Structure formats: structure tokens, C-alpha cells
Amino acid sequence: MVVCSRNRHMGFAGLTLAFAAAFMALAFVFPPSAQAGSDVTYVLHLPSSELPESIAIDHRGNMYLSRASADEVIKISPGGRRSAFATFPAGSTPLGVRLDASGNVYVAVAGSGVWRIPAGGGTPVKIAAIPGFPNGLAFDHRGNLYVSESAGGAIYRITRDGSVAIWSDSPLLAGMAGQGPCGTHPAGALGANGLAFDRHGNLLVANTTLATVVRIRVNRDGTAGSARVFAGPDCRLWGADGIALDVRGNLYVAANAERDIVRVSPHGRLHVLASFADGDLLYTPSAISFGTGRGDRDHIFITNFALFTNGVGAGVVTTDVGIPGRPLP
């Protein structure tokens, strides 16, 4: 059964899709929100051409944002100073961003693969060629890096020794072209997207067009175990993109098509934490990261990709998720 929320996006049917340089160009403008609905506030406004797709935050509070509209990752200091952190070959489309334990920055680049940037900045180095649409990233406790390939609906694993292989291609990871359970998604048939490991070591995967979160058990030998739907299908999750977990095991999902932030309990129950429909400042939310200051696990930072608003509202917003914090391990 698919649970559908009220229809807020009748204009999606008229969108024109075009994948160019392994990405999409969309032209449609939603009206700006008149007011903020809860405590969602801007911490960073960006020009409409920026399209920040993913976010990672280091232990000093620096933000790293991928610019999907350009070939760049930018760094924002806690004081708000912006600098170019890394530049990729011309025509690149950087998407997911993650940090390892040493502060090195990893970036999924559509049509290319995964690149690594030294913690202090420098020239990106391609560490893995992954075809299609590499997108979300997550590290396991052993330091292996997992990459979602959204066009083909698969998860790749890059081991610490550098080997690369498809880790799971469960049918639950595939997207749906055209009319899906919640409508026609403007980004096309994207499946597996945001990734996060839960406290039991299972991999959680957002499926964009099917409005689900899939849980894949990790076997003791590191291979992929059984996959099952953990949450959804539910149209509150339509456009499930970036995800993040809090210290209690609640999952936060940026639903880009619904323009919602949804909290999913450890038992799979859904609660809309913030919504553009209620006046919250969410303009195509695409990725989520928790703050990394000592004890700071009660605020999430969200990239407003602003793709479906033609760049209106681009930047980073934050909101209190109401979870008592504790220091990161």
C-alpha cells in the first residue's frame, strides 16, 4: 500500500527533463514561501546559480558543499567565510560529499566516480571509476566506502585497499521512470540515493522515486545480506534524497519532491518534521548533516538544492530536531 500525502506539486507534470553531462536541467519556478513555519532558519544564502547538492561538516564546524551546477566543492568556515576547496575537471557534476575519520573529503561525481580531496584542500584524485550516476556516500565502521548509483539502482563498495565492486543490486534499489506511486518525479528514474549506517551496522538506502527507505543487512563477512523495505512506500518520502541518523536511531530524510524533512523512527514510523507546505524554508531539500560541535546532535543542517525552484532559495538551512545531544564518538 502506498500512503499519499496531499498533492502539493501539480506543476511537476509539465516539467521537461534533459540529462546533460550526466545530470538534469529543469525549468520550473515555485513561488517563494511567505514565512517560515517552524524554526527552520537560514545559515547561508547562496546565489540562485549555485545549486548546493550535498553537505558535510567537519569537527571544526566547517561546511563542505558540492555545487552540482559547477565543477566545485566550496568550504564555508564557522564565521561564514567562503572559499573554493576543490575544483574538478570542466563539466563535472559533484554530488554526494562525505568526510573520513582523518578529515579527507570524498565526492561522488556523476558520470565519473568517486574522488578524494586531502583534508587541507588540494587537487582531487579519482579513486574509483563508477559508471552511471554515483550519488550518495557512507563509510562503514571498517572504513569501507559505499556509493549509491542512482540511475542503475545499485550500491558499490570501495574497500580500504581500493578494490571496487557492486555490493548490492537488489530490485528494491531500482527507480521508476514515468508515473510512479506518487506521480512523475521531475528528476527521472532515480532509485538508490542517500546512504547511512544504523547502529546495528545495517545500511539504510533512500529510494527517490519509490518513496521508500530500504534496509540492507550486512553479513559478518561484509557481503550484502537481505534487503527489505524499512519505511514506505509513503508519499511523504517522495523524492527521498539525503539521509542522516541521530543518536537514538531516528532517520531524517530530505524528501526533495515533497519538500519535506521527515523523521523515521527506529520502527519505521514517519513524522513530517518540517514542510514547505507549512511555510518552512525548504526549496528542494537534498542533503542533511548534523552539527559536529561537542554535544551538538540536536540540529540538522540541510542543503536547499533549489533545483525545482530554478535556484530560488538556494543555500543551507538548519532546524532543531529535539534530540538531546552528546559528543560524537
Side-chain angles (χ1 to χ4, degrees):
M1 179 178 70
V2 177
V3 179
C4 291
S5 60
R6 59 189 181 277
N7 187 352
R8 302 201 290 265
H9 303 288
M10 295 298 291
F12 276 174
L15 289 172
T16 300
L17 303 180
F19 278 82
F23 205 62
M24 63 292 255
L26 301 175
F28 187 83
V29 178
F30 286 102
S33 174
Q35 60 183 6
S38 59
D39 67 343
V40 179
T41 58
Y42 269 97
V43 296
L44 175 69
H45 286 274
L46 290 172
S48 61
S49 61
E50 294 289 276
L51 301 183
E53 204 280 343
S54 188
I55 180 172
I57 305 175
D58 69 19
H59 286 275
R60 295 181 178 178
N62 297 298
M63 295 182 182
Y64 302 85
L65 306 178
S66 60
R67 290 184 59 202
S69 60
D71 48 16
E72 186 179 51
V73 169
I74 60 175
K75 179 180 178 179
I76 310 295
S77 73
R81 186 174 66 87
R82 168 179 170 165
S83 59
F85 184 70
T87 301
F88 297 90
S92 298
T93 304
L95 299 174
V97 179
R98 281 293 180 273
L99 305 176
D100 66 14
S102 300
N104 300 302
V105 180
Y106 294 76
V107 184
V109 178
S112 174
V114 176
W115 297 63
R116 180 175 59 220
I117 309 159
T123 303
V125 175
K126 187 174 181 178
I127 64 166
I130 295 177
F133 204 78
N135 198 343
L137 302 172
F139 283 97
D140 67 15
H141 70 279
R142 297 184 178 92
N144 300 306
L145 181 59
Y146 294 72
V147 186
S148 64
E149 197 283 282
S150 299
I155 307 296
Y156 283 75
R157 183 175 66 175
I158 306 170
T159 63
R160 294 184 65 179
D161 64 9
S163 64
V164 183
I166 292 177
W167 182 75
S168 175
D169 57 359
S170 165
L172 296 177
L173 303 176
M176 178 178 291
Q179 182 71 24
C182 304
T184 301
H185 193 278
L190 299 184
N193 200 326
L195 304 177
F197 281 93
D198 67 18
R199 52 189 168 183
H200 303 293
N202 303 305
L203 182 62
L204 300 175
V205 186
N207 187 310
T208 298
T209 50
L210 294 188
T212 59
V213 176
V214 176
R215 181 164 59 195
I216 305 175
R217 185 171 56 85
V218 180
N219 295 325
R220 289 188 177 183
D221 63 359
T223 59
S226 60
R228 70 177 185 87
V229 174
F230 166 65
D234 189 304
C235 292
R236 288 173 289 183
L237 294 173
W238 192 31
D241 199 335
I243 60 179
L245 283 156
D246 67 23
V247 295
R248 292 184 176 176
N250 297 299
L251 182 72
Y252 297 81
V253 181
N256 60 40
E258 283 295 291
R259 291 187 287 172
D260 288 346
I261 301 298
V262 182
R263 180 161 57 203
V264 184
S265 78
H267 304 290
R269 293 190 296 270
L270 274 60
H271 169 71
V272 176
L273 185 71
S275 176
F276 181 87
D278 295 331
D280 289 307
L281 301 172
L282 298 173
Y283 297 84
T284 320
S286 56
I288 300 173
S289 180
F290 274 91
T292 55
R294 184 173 178 82
D296 181 10
R297 294 292 282 179
D298 54 5
H299 276 76
I300 54 175
F301 295 82
I302 306 153
T303 45
N304 267 341
F305 191 20
L307 182 66
F308 306 155
T309 61
N310 202 27
V312 174
V316 178
V317 296
T318 187
T319 189
D320 187 338
V321 300
I323 300 296
R326 68 176 183 236
L328 287 174

